[in-house]
Amino acid sequence: MSPLLTAHNLTKAFKGPWGSLSVISGVSLSLNTGESLSIRGESGSGKTTLLHVLAGLEAVDSGELFWEGESPLSRSLAWQAKRRGLFLGLVFQSYYLVPELNVLENVLLAKRLVGGLDKAAEARAEALLLKAGLQNRLKHLPHQLSGGERQRVAIARALINQPRLLLADEPTGNLDEKTAETVMELLLNLTADAGVGLILVTHNPEFAKRTQRQVVLHKGQLL
Amino acid sequence: MFKKYFPTWPFYLAFKQLFPTGRKGSFFAWMATCGVMLGVMVLIVVQCVMGGFGAEIKRLVVETGGDIRVESGFPIMERAAIQAQLDKAPGVVAAAPYAQGVVMLQCGGRPAFPYIKGIDVERERQVVPLDRYMTVGDLNDLDEDGIIISTQLAASIGAILGSRVSVYSPLMLEKLENDEVLLPKELQVVGFFETGWNQVDGKTVLVSLETMQSLYGLETGIHGFALRLKDTKKEDATLEWLSAHLPVPLRAYTVLEANHDLLFILRLEKTVLFFITLFVILVAAFSITSSLMTAVVRKTRELGLLCALGASPSNAAFCFCIQGFLIGLVGTTLGTLGAGLALFFRNDVVHAFARLTHSEEALVRFYQFSNIPVEYAKEDFLLIIILSIYISTLAGLLPALRASRLKPAEALRSEV
């Protein structure tokens, strides 16, 4: 059985008038189903870029990437998008909720994008929001929520399509300590309950320790 | 199959961005919609009113001149034989002989050069509703010494009922060349008429056919026949029959053909106004483009998010095209309804305005109609509706193209 995610020797550099800036250099990693991994590193070490590369959102200069044995890099953008929507869940530091949609609509948006929105999906969204403690906020708009609540909505949205892998980019970066703890607990519990693989990018060593494996990214290289 | 290539979520998201949950719509959406609405409203009102003017003039041309004319360019001397042939022509309800030309008219020292038409009253009545046009006097009083003058002309020369007018015909000049003197004909004004068409009311007089024959020295000759048809849709068949049966050089043609230049100018005016007012929609389209372009910049990270959640960049960009389409659709619907209302109450509005500005008389004098005519042409409505929605959708294309070029990771990194 293929690992959930495999990356071989990934390299990425940003090119500009200033020359070439290497961001990721020879990164290789592998993650099995239900496994959790944290990536720590200083600001500018390439954590977010690596996450984008693993999610197929950023092209690489060289290296290989496999999602359950399939290489997204050799496929069309449309295929990547569709597969990403079903295979991956993404949580960002800045939540990225659509301001025109209410909480329930934001969660269901991820389902709409990949197709198959039905009553069961709505029930699942409501169940996820109940677990996130937002059962009374379904009709609220993002601007009516606190930062912690917004991030909990974003976690529910990332899990609505029952992905095999969840990529979280500093999900508690914008939250106070207490709220961050609540959000992190929710994230870890929900992924563990669903048997979803997790790659967590975080600055917080305490949160990193809660994942099964920890790696450090330094100047684009995994230590 | 349809969903695979045209997913429904861009429609949903576009709709939600224009009309967000819990709100009555974004300010931008309503402003852009109002722009399209006003453009469509103006276009429909202008086209319907211009169409109405054209149709009204067409109606007056046909009503005052008959459906078909039969002429030869020379006086027709075999009047009775031709009349008999025309009376049995298919689709012809009535045929009225006439002789026409230009004369000089003088009343109390005031001259005028009107168009004069000699008619057989009984037959003319069957072709032209002359009795309806009579404002003063009776058509039956038109004998060999009588003349009926259009109201505007009567006013300009100061003629009243019973006035005597002198009529000078071109025949007098011909006689002069032969050293003969022909005195002007003295006629008595027995009535006034008004058709509602300025072109006729400003410079036409009616006399009996015999008087006209005498003025022009036609003896028993006439210049032509005006025909009224039972069904104008079948005029081609009648024309064909006439061409086959009338002796050369008699020629039959429709009155609308004879007024081709006037009707062409009316159509041209309508077309030119269409293109001028179309600019209102184009301006609205530019406003849609700039607003959506701003939205693309403002929502760059949102576009990145959509890609991260499983949307392809082209589908995410498609949202903006749909927003243009939705603005066009709503604006066009509201504009069509608004135009319908404006046209329904057009006369009330114009009369209220005329009363306020004391310009009711001028309105009738210069625009010939006291009420604004309209013509609801299906093809005008269809053209305006399709064009405005098409232009609005195109307005979303440029922002969509820009959005489709965004790279997901770059969009997510955007600081906007």
Side-chain angles (χ1 to χ4, degrees):
Chain A
M1 189 177 164
S2 305
L4 196 58
L5 180 133
T6 312
H8 279 307
N9 210 17
L10 295 175
T11 303
K12 173 73 186 173
F14 289 118
K15 294 171 185 71
W18 62 85
S20 179
L21 177 69
S22 177
V23 185
I24 298 169
S25 175
V27 169
S28 297
L29 61 84
S30 178
L31 194 80
N32 289 317
T33 305
E35 197 180 5
S36 59
L37 166 79
S38 64
I39 302 173
R40 286 200 298 124
E42 299 161 357
S43 293
S45 59
K47 302 186 296 295
T48 297
T49 304
L50 176 60
L51 215 63
H52 286 168
V53 165
L54 295 178
L57 293 169
E58 186 93 72
V60 289
D61 297 331
S62 64
E64 286 179 307
L65 176 69
F66 297 97
W67 294 340
E68 290 187 314
E70 287 180 303
S71 169
L73 301 179
S74 60
R75 300 298 193 101
S76 68
L77 286 176
W79 185 91
Q80 283 182 35
K82 183 85 176 170
R83 187 80 180 103
R84 181 167 46 245
L86 293 166
F87 175 67
L88 286 176
L90 282 146
V91 178
F92 302 96
Q93 183 178 348
S94 301
Y95 333 123
Y96 296 154
L97 300 182
V98 178
E100 292 89 358
L101 304 181
N102 66 29
V103 165
L104 186 61
E105 290 168 341
N106 258 292
V107 174
L108 288 171
L109 177 64
K111 191 70 186 169
R112 278 183 194 278
L113 296 183
V114 295
L117 180 66
D118 52 16
K119 292 279 173 203
E122 278 182 40
R124 181 171 160 70
E126 284 177 19
L128 278 167
L129 288 166
L130 177 70
K131 284 182 188 172
L134 295 167
Q135 65 274 20
N136 297 323
R137 309 286 251 160
L138 300 186
K139 302 289 176 192
H140 285 73
L141 291 168
H143 74 267
Q144 295 166 323
L145 304 177
S146 68
E149 287 171 327
R150 288 185 208 186
Q151 193 58 294
R152 282 185 273 161
V153 175
I155 292 169
R157 182 181 62 192
L159 293 170
I160 185 68
N161 289 334
Q162 297 172 285
R164 310 273 290 138
L165 173 64
L166 194 136
L167 304 179
D169 185 10
E170 302 198 35
T172 57
N174 284 351
L175 305 175
D176 62 71
E177 208 172 315
K178 195 179 163 201
T179 312
E181 177 58 39
T182 315
V183 167
M184 190 52 72
E185 205 169 302
L186 177 74
L187 181 69
L188 293 169
N189 287 343
L190 285 178
T191 49
D193 289 351
V196 176
L198 170 69
I199 295 181
L200 172 70
V201 166
T202 180
H203 277 302
N204 190 321
E206 291 305 312
F207 292 152
K209 277 181 197 164
R210 295 194 200 174
T211 58
Q212 291 161 333
R213 286 165 52 205
Q214 297 93 39
V215 292
V216 174
L217 191 67
H218 181 69
K219 292 186 176 172
Q221 290 183 312
L222 282 182
L223 301 180
Chain B
M1 183 73 175
F2 176 81
K3 276 193 172 180
K4 186 179 174 187
Y5 294 104
F6 300 101
T8 51
W9 69 261
F11 288 91
Y12 166 80
L13 199 59
F15 186 81
K16 283 290 180 181
Q17 283 177 345
L18 292 175
F19 306 102
T21 301
R23 283 162 60 193
K24 283 178 182 157
S26 71
F27 177 76
F28 139 71
W30 281 119
M31 282 299 105
T33 305
C34 280
V36 177
M37 183 189 84
L38 286 173
V40 169
M41 219 173 131
V42 171
L43 255 179
I44 289 180
V45 169
V46 166
Q47 289 302 294
C48 285
V49 170
M50 284 305 291
F53 273 118
E56 185 70 2
I57 287 173
K58 220 183 224 181
R59 185 187 67 76
L60 283 169
V61 165
V62 171
E63 194 177 276
T64 56
D67 292 312
I68 289 178
R69 294 238 170 161
V70 174
E71 287 181 351
S72 72
F74 303 99
I76 303 166
M77 305 310 289
E78 311 81 18
R79 174 183 159 190
I82 305 293
Q83 179 82 57
Q85 248 182 327
L86 293 176
D87 285 344
K88 65 179 183 187
V92 174
V93 173
Y98 63 81
Q100 61 188 11
V102 178
V103 290
M104 186 179 115
L105 198 71
Q106 208 169 18
C107 179
R110 289 193 201 174
F113 297 87
Y115 171 81
I116 187 167
K117 189 174 176 186
I119 56 168
D120 175 330
V121 172
E122 283 315 310
R123 285 195 171 270
E124 188 74 8
R125 270 184 171 135
Q126 295 169 41
V127 176
V128 181
L130 277 178
D131 292 289
R132 185 150 57 80
Y133 297 151
M134 293 298 292
T135 54
V136 177
D138 191 333
L139 197 60
N140 293 322
D141 296 336
L142 186 66
D143 54 20
E144 285 185 35
D145 292 323
I147 184 168
I148 295 175
I149 305 180
S150 56
T151 47
Q152 285 179 37
L153 180 66
S156 70
I157 59 172
I160 58 167
L161 197 65
S163 295
R164 295 206 63 87
V165 296
S166 307
V167 181
Y168 300 79
S169 76
L171 187 64
M172 294 168 73
L173 297 174
E174 282 179 34
K175 295 280 182 191
L176 267 179
E177 282 176 10
N178 300 327
D179 295 329
E180 291 176 50
V181 176
L182 187 66
L183 293 174
K185 201 167 183 69
E186 294 291 317
L187 299 173
Q188 187 174 22
V189 177
V190 294
F192 301 119
F193 74 91
E194 188 173 343
T195 62
W197 189 22
N198 204 29
Q199 199 103 341
V200 173
D201 294 342
K203 52 180 181 184
T204 309
V205 295
L206 298 174
V207 292
S208 71
L209 192 57
E210 292 73 22
T211 307
M212 184 61 189
Q213 284 168 334
S214 146
L215 279 168
Y216 264 61
L218 294 171
E219 295 173 5
T220 57
I222 56 166
H223 285 135
F225 290 90
L227 273 58
R228 179 64 65 202
L229 300 183
K230 195 174 177 184
D231 182 2
T232 48
K233 286 176 191 156
K234 292 176 182 167
E235 66 184 16
D236 285 344
T238 306
L239 284 172
E240 210 171 300
W241 189 92
L242 292 172
S243 301
H245 291 81
L246 289 177
V248 179
L250 280 179
R251 195 173 69 87
Y253 57 89
T254 65
V255 170
L256 292 180
E257 267 174 12
N259 289 276
H260 173 264
D261 288 351
L262 173 70
L263 297 173
F264 171 76
I265 287 169
L266 285 171
R267 274 201 307 276
L268 189 71
E269 270 181 2
K270 191 180 169 194
T271 310
V272 168
L273 274 171
F274 176 83
F275 282 107
I276 291 171
T277 41
L278 189 66
F279 274 84
V280 181
I281 290 182
L282 286 177
V283 170
F286 275 101
S287 120
I288 294 173
T289 303
S290 63
S291 303
L292 288 178
M293 201 61 112
T294 312
V296 170
V297 176
R298 201 162 37 86
K299 291 181 174 291
T300 301
R301 290 205 289 191
E302 212 171 283
L303 285 164
L305 168 81
L306 292 174
C307 294
L309 293 180
S312 68
S314 55
N315 280 339
F318 188 41
C319 266
F320 292 93
C321 255
I322 296 169
Q323 284 186 48
F325 168 77
L326 287 175
I327 289 170
L329 189 69
V330 176
T332 304
T333 307
L334 293 177
T336 308
L337 292 175
L341 273 177
L343 289 170
F344 186 77
F345 292 109
R346 67 190 184 280
N347 290 322
D348 301 301
V349 173
V350 169
H351 287 153
F353 178 77
R355 268 196 302 276
L356 275 174
T357 55
H358 306 290
S359 57
E360 277 173 303
E361 271 183 38
L363 191 75
V364 177
R365 197 176 337 126
F366 293 113
Y367 292 99
Q368 303 171 22
F369 315 108
S370 54
N371 287 329
I372 296 180
V374 289
E375 186 187 48
Y376 299 102
K378 200 167 53 183
E379 57 273 16
D380 282 348
F381 274 79
L382 269 178
L383 181 70
I384 293 165
I385 288 169
I386 291 171
L387 208 62
S388 60
I389 294 176
Y390 180 69
I391 290 173
S392 303
T393 310
L394 272 187
L397 197 63
L398 207 63
L401 279 174
R402 188 190 153 102
S404 70
R405 290 199 186 109
L406 287 173
K407 290 177 180 164
E410 280 178 19
L412 285 168
R413 274 197 298 270
S414 165
E415 292 296 327
V416 180

